[in-house]
Amino acid sequence: MIGMQLVGLGLLFWDMWQSTWGFQNRLERNKPGQGNYTEEMEVEGESYSGNYIVEVEERHFSEEEAEKLFRSAKKEIDREFLGRNKDTEHVMYDVVIRKKYQEGKVKAEWNFDDGTRINTEGKIQMEEVKKPVIIQASVQLKCQDRESVYSFPFRVIPVPKNSKEGFLLEVKKQIQKNSTDNQKLKLPTKINGQVVKWKKKKSLRGVWLMVLGLSLPVIVFYGQKVEKKRDDERRKKILQQDYPLIVDQMSLLLGVGISFSEAVSKICTRYERGRRHGEKSREGYELLTQMNWEMRDGVSEIMALEHFGRRAEIKEYRKLALLLEQYQRKGNAQVREQLENENINAFEMRKLTAKKLGEEASTKLLFPMMGMLAMVLVIIVIPALMKVKIT
């Protein structure tokens, strides 16, 4: 907000200076080649007071400047015109012509006295060149309201038959000659005394399909590996979120004198009831449910707790399994006190987890907010800058 206020204040003073204090009834013209522009003015007179749009033309070249541009444009034409050709006496390839020279300050209009052998784009029609011929090129150069004509001759010669261009030209002629048959086109087998063999261009789609087939297992394996890693991270996050709730419920039930197996059964029964009513699956409670089914199937509570700790894969659950195992073995008040302390630690962990999730959500919202701020600045600043002409 402070930055926007400062920018707005600066623009206000700049506009006031441009429109009143620093304005001396003169509008600066653009440099030659930059084009015209319009300026909205306020005019006051006896007959009319209001807005008026003034069109400011670009600055015109002086005669010396125009002549200098013409000379430079002619040198530029001499450098580029021949293209691949060696000199103007041996022109076999297309010449290079442009519509503008000198960075667009000089416009050019080309004309050739022989339009059958060369077109206005500089492309030579080699099938029309049977023998050397001299062609006159004329280019009319325009620089604003000044003009100049530049003319020069060049000699077009047929391409040698043993060259690449001569070979392709002869192939084209032979194909055109054989194109009278409407059923099939016969390709020439002899060009300029050379034996010619034709083959259809091979398609590599089979090779690409084979490469794709070979790479597919690698892609699938890598994708499965990434997906498994993502699932493991998600599972660990859910386990950490479930841990404080499980410890709290376990500590509460054991504290009122309920046996360990009955406490586990009550927690699992409540979880399964919620699942039947559409609640989402929770990794921590699934581990607890698996341990409950093991104890129902006859596995001892100590062994079930060991299995529970190994399946959890995170240290908090292994610590909980160890505390509950000690509680089963000893059942003294010290172990119960440790369980209560673990409940307090789990509650603190729950708060830290919630704080971390909130920070992650804030970070994800940061970029959209920055984008919205940039859009607001653009909407406010650009219209103001469009009305300011900085010279």
Side-chain angles (χ1 to χ4, degrees):
M1 290 177 61
I2 293 174
M4 291 171 63
Q5 293 295 323
L6 292 176
V7 172
L9 185 62
L11 290 174
L12 177 62
F13 276 102
W14 177 259
D15 290 340
M16 293 293 293
W17 172 263
Q18 289 284 88
S19 61
T20 54
W21 310 319
F23 184 62
Q24 299 178 353
N25 293 337
R26 295 178 182 272
L27 295 175
E28 182 118 4
R29 297 181 185 273
N30 282 336
K31 294 180 180 180
Q34 292 184 350
N36 305 340
Y37 74 94
T38 57
E39 186 78 25
E40 187 175 0
M41 306 292 296
E42 293 182 0
V43 60
E44 294 183 5
E46 295 181 359
S47 303
Y48 173 76
S49 294
N51 297 333
Y52 185 81
I53 297 178
V54 179
E55 183 176 0
V56 183
E57 294 184 357
E58 64 180 5
R59 186 176 67 83
H60 287 258
F61 288 109
S62 64
E63 187 174 352
E64 293 78 8
E65 291 175 329
E67 289 298 327
K68 184 178 179 180
L69 287 172
F70 285 143
R71 289 194 298 270
S72 299
K74 292 174 183 179
K75 292 179 181 179
E76 195 171 355
I77 291 172
D78 292 338
R79 286 196 307 269
E80 298 180 356
F81 179 77
L82 289 175
R84 297 169 55 193
N85 299 288
K86 295 181 179 180
D87 52 53
T88 55
E89 292 296 319
H90 302 84
V91 177
M92 295 183 296
Y93 309 109
D94 296 341
V95 295
V96 180
I97 62 176
R98 291 195 284 121
K99 301 296 183 182
K100 292 181 180 180
Y101 293 92
Q102 292 298 296
E103 299 178 352
K105 297 174 184 177
V106 177
K107 297 180 180 179
E109 185 176 342
W110 287 84
N111 185 32
F112 300 98
D113 62 350
D114 190 342
T116 59
R117 294 176 175 86
I118 185 171
N119 60 20
T120 55
E121 296 179 355
K123 294 186 179 296
I124 296 177
Q125 312 298 323
M126 274 301 171
E127 58 272 13
E128 301 294 335
V129 182
K130 309 297 182 183
K131 59 182 181 178
V133 58
I134 297 177
I135 299 177
Q136 186 75 16
S138 177
V139 53
Q140 187 175 11
L141 303 175
K142 294 182 180 180
C143 180
Q144 291 180 342
D145 55 350
R146 293 179 172 83
E147 296 183 1
S148 178
V149 178
Y150 181 42
S151 300
F152 58 91
F154 61 95
R155 183 167 171 262
V156 178
I157 62 175
V159 293
K161 292 185 177 181
N162 57 354
S163 65
K164 173 185 173 182
E165 289 77 12
F167 177 81
L168 296 177
L169 181 62
E170 188 63 26
V171 168
K172 183 178 179 181
K173 290 180 179 179
Q174 291 287 344
I175 291 176
Q176 290 178 347
K177 182 180 178 181
N178 297 338
S179 62
T180 55
D181 188 356
N182 295 328
Q183 298 296 327
K184 293 183 180 180
L185 174 64
K186 183 179 179 181
L187 299 176
T189 56
K190 207 168 191 181
I191 300 293
N192 296 331
Q194 304 178 35
V195 177
V196 180
K197 295 181 180 180
W198 296 87
K199 293 181 181 179
K200 284 190 175 182
K201 189 175 180 181
K202 297 178 181 178
S203 174
L204 297 178
R205 56 186 180 180
V207 176
W208 287 115
L209 186 60
M210 292 171 61
V211 171
L212 179 61
L214 291 174
S215 61
L216 191 60
V218 179
I219 297 173
V220 171
F221 174 77
Y222 179 75
Q224 289 177 345
K225 189 176 180 180
V226 172
E227 188 68 23
K228 185 178 181 301
K229 184 178 179 181
R230 189 182 297 115
D231 291 341
D232 291 342
E233 291 177 354
R234 181 188 61 82
R235 181 172 180 270
K236 287 181 180 180
K237 285 184 179 181
I238 297 177
L239 285 173
Q240 289 176 348
Q241 294 173 9
D242 293 343
Y243 180 72
L245 301 175
I246 293 175
V247 173
D248 182 57
Q249 294 174 357
M250 188 68 70
S251 176
L252 180 63
L253 292 174
L254 294 178
V256 297
I258 297 177
S259 65
F260 169 70
S261 59
E262 189 177 354
V264 173
S265 179
K266 286 183 176 294
I267 295 173
C268 293
T269 301
R270 183 177 179 183
Y271 168 70
E272 291 173 355
R273 188 186 304 119
R275 289 281 291 137
R276 287 194 295 269
H277 287 80
E279 293 183 3
K280 293 183 179 180
S281 174
R282 307 293 298 184
E283 299 293 340
Y285 287 96
E286 290 292 334
L287 290 176
L288 205 62
T289 302
Q290 192 172 355
M291 183 178 66
N292 183 41
W293 282 108
E294 284 185 349
M295 290 188 295
R296 288 187 181 183
D297 291 340
V299 179
S300 65
E301 296 177 355
I302 302 298
M303 188 64 66
L305 280 170
E306 290 180 0
H307 295 168
F308 173 77
R310 283 199 298 266
R311 284 192 295 263
E313 299 178 0
I314 60 175
K315 61 182 181 179
E316 289 84 4
Y317 283 84
R318 289 195 290 269
K319 183 178 180 181
L320 176 61
L322 182 60
L323 284 175
L324 292 174
E325 186 178 345
Q326 291 178 0
Y327 179 78
Q328 288 297 101
R329 293 179 185 275
K330 300 178 181 179
N332 55 19
Q334 183 179 0
V335 177
R336 185 175 297 175
E337 184 179 351
Q338 291 178 355
L339 192 60
E340 291 291 337
N341 291 334
E342 183 63 20
N343 186 19
I344 296 173
N345 294 335
F347 181 73
E348 293 296 327
M349 182 192 302
R350 185 179 181 184
K351 291 196 296 184
L352 291 175
T353 302
K355 183 179 179 181
K356 184 179 179 180
L357 291 175
E359 291 175 352
E360 291 178 356
S362 300
T363 304
K364 291 178 181 178
L365 290 173
L366 181 61
F367 292 101
M369 291 175 64
M370 292 175 62
M372 293 175 65
L373 177 60
M375 291 176 62
V376 171
L377 290 176
V378 168
I379 292 172
I380 294 176
V381 174
I382 287 186
L385 292 177
M386 291 176 65
K387 294 184 180 180
V388 176
K389 176 171 176 58
I390 302 177
T391 58

